[in-house]
Amino acid sequence: MMKAVEISAPGGPDVLRLVERAAPVAGAGEALIRVAASGINRPDVLQRKGVYPPPPGASDLPGLEVAGRIEGGDADALAAAGFALGDRVCALVAGGGYAELCVAPIGQCLPVPGVLSDIEAASLPETMFTVWSNVFERARLQPGETLLIQGGTSGIGVTAIQLAKAHGAIVIATAGSDDKCAACIALGADHAINYRSHDFVEEVRRITAKRGVDVILDMVAGDYVAREVSCLAEDGRLVIIAVQGGVAATFDAGLVLRRRLVITGSTLRPRSVAFKAAIAESLRRTVWPWLAAGRVKPVVYREFEAGDAAGAHRLMESNQHIGKIVLTWPAGQAR
Ligand SMILES: NC(=O)c1ccc[n+]([C@@H]2O[C@H](COP(=O)([O-])OP(=O)(O)OC[C@H]3O[C@@H](n4cnc5c(N)ncnc54)[C@H](OP(=O)(O)O)[C@@H]3O)[C@@H](O)[C@H]2O)c1
């Protein structure tokens, strides 16, 4: 048996309950992880509300990322991947992360750089995989290009700012307060726009001397799409990863032709294990050395004990946080 946080019914934060559950069993190609910390992501809030069900075959427990120690699993596959029992790993999972024990495909596990705590490591996988796949693979951000990040202090945003800067891009981030804009600059953004007091389209035109940006990472959509299309440079790429502002968009298709724009997007959770393992390999090669060297750092705003998952979700829905919120499992950390 193990402790886990389940969604007892769709609803507000208080539907999250700490319960006893049967421990999951690792199958072929999987690792069993003794979880020390579980990262919280906005999609968990949507799942709790009942509007983002887990993909077929995934655990009904929320949680898309964990960090801890390998306690068991497919011994041959673990050895082939260079992992041993007791190794510290962080992993991307399609569900089941809010639990003391979690099963993860071995290809989606990454070693924890020695400089990082379990709590820091748990904050990494979901945003690292999402940003890598969308900004670097889909939108092919190049060194020297300019990236506009909507929601610069979100969990996704703090990762996107740092990876883009480490890659040699120029970064403009938006956020909803002056304090959050200051946090974006402190993380390395070259410019930050308070989208509540300034029109981001006008600001982008001013900052880029009317040229526009090469890539936009968008988590708003809705009426943002038309404004984003209007501030993309020639051959610009807009990549949509969420629709917080609504799914319907009307925009100037003429600009798409004249400036040869690409509008794309993706959602990570339902993608195959092979797809996610390929991202893990790229992260291990490119980003993990940046983490080990301290060029890219986890940004953990606050941690909560697992019994107070409701408090963690309330904080996320208050939008006060800058960076990531993490749940801790004391038993996992003591080992
Ligand atoms: N497609 C994928 O595979 C994928 C994977 C993971 C997450 N996501 C999505 O990515 C988003 C961020 O996730 P997260 O876990 O990092 O959540 P989070 O930390 O809660 O961030 C949500 C962010 O949205 C920003 N925002 C809301 N309205 C905005 C607007 N009009 N203009 C600019 N920013 C706005 C908020 O900024 P302010 O507080 O400054 O207003 C906040 O920083 C979520 O919508 C999530 O569903 C997608």
Side-chain angles (χ1 to χ4, degrees), residues 65-135:
E65 59 188 354
V66 296
R69 282 160 187 72
I70 297 180
E71 183 149 309
D74 181 335
D76 290 342
L78 281 168
F83 288 123
L85 294 185
D87 279 359
R88 296 176 72 214
V89 289
C90 59
L92 179 78
V93 290
Y98 288 16
E100 284 181 315
L101 287 164
C102 180
V103 159
I106 291 166
Q108 294 173 207
C109 296
L110 284 154
V112 176
V115 293
L116 301 187
S117 69
D118 293 332
I119 290 169
E120 289 171 323
S123 77
L124 297 174
E126 176 70 11
T127 67
M128 288 284 177
F129 280 69
T130 301
V131 170
W132 186 266
S133 150
N134 287 287
V135 174

Side-chain angles (χ1 to χ4, degrees), residues 41-43 46 126 130 150-151 153-156 174-176 180 195-196 219-220 224 241-242 244 266-268 316 319 321 323:
N41 294 281
R42 185 67 64 154
L46 301 178
E126 176 70 11
T130 301
Q150 304 286 16
T153 58
S154 62
I156 293 281
T174 65
K180 286 187 171 187
Y195 69 83
R196 293 187 201 278
M219 56 179 73
V220 181
Y224 265 37
I241 61 161
Q244 297 183 84
S266 76
T267 184
L268 179 67
M316 177 160 274
N319 278 330
H321 61 292

Side-chain angles (χ1 to χ4, degrees), residues 178-301:
D178 290 343
D179 284 351
K180 286 187 171 187
C181 285
C184 293
I185 298 291
L187 283 166
D190 299 279
H191 306 273
I193 303 167
N194 180 340
Y195 69 83
R196 293 187 201 278
S197 57
H198 290 76
D199 175 2
F200 75 80
V201 175
E202 280 174 21
E203 288 300 299
V204 163
R205 287 205 185 108
R206 182 183 62 75
I207 291 164
T208 64
K210 296 192 180 155
R211 177 183 172 274
V213 293
D214 300 290
V215 175
I216 302 177
L217 178 63
D218 178 39
M219 56 179 73
V220 181
D223 62 9
Y224 265 37
V225 176
R227 298 167 68 196
E228 290 168 337
V229 162
S230 77
C231 63
L232 276 170
E234 290 193 2
D235 294 304
R237 290 87 74 196
L238 166 61
V239 57
I240 300 171
I241 61 161
V243 291
Q244 297 183 84
V247 293
T250 303
F251 56 88
D252 182 346
L255 283 175
V256 178
L257 314 187
R258 289 198 297 280
R259 294 193 198 152
R260 301 176 300 281
L261 306 180
V262 174
I263 301 176
T264 183
S266 76
T267 184
L268 179 67
R269 195 178 188 186
R271 301 302 296 273
S272 69
V273 169
F275 177 84
K276 293 170 184 170
I279 300 175
E281 198 41 52
S282 299
L283 287 172
R284 193 172 183 151
R285 217 176 31 246
T286 310
V287 177
W288 254 230
W290 292 341
L291 279 167
R295 280 184 75 192
V296 169
K297 293 185 174 147
V299 181
V300 177
Y301 183 74

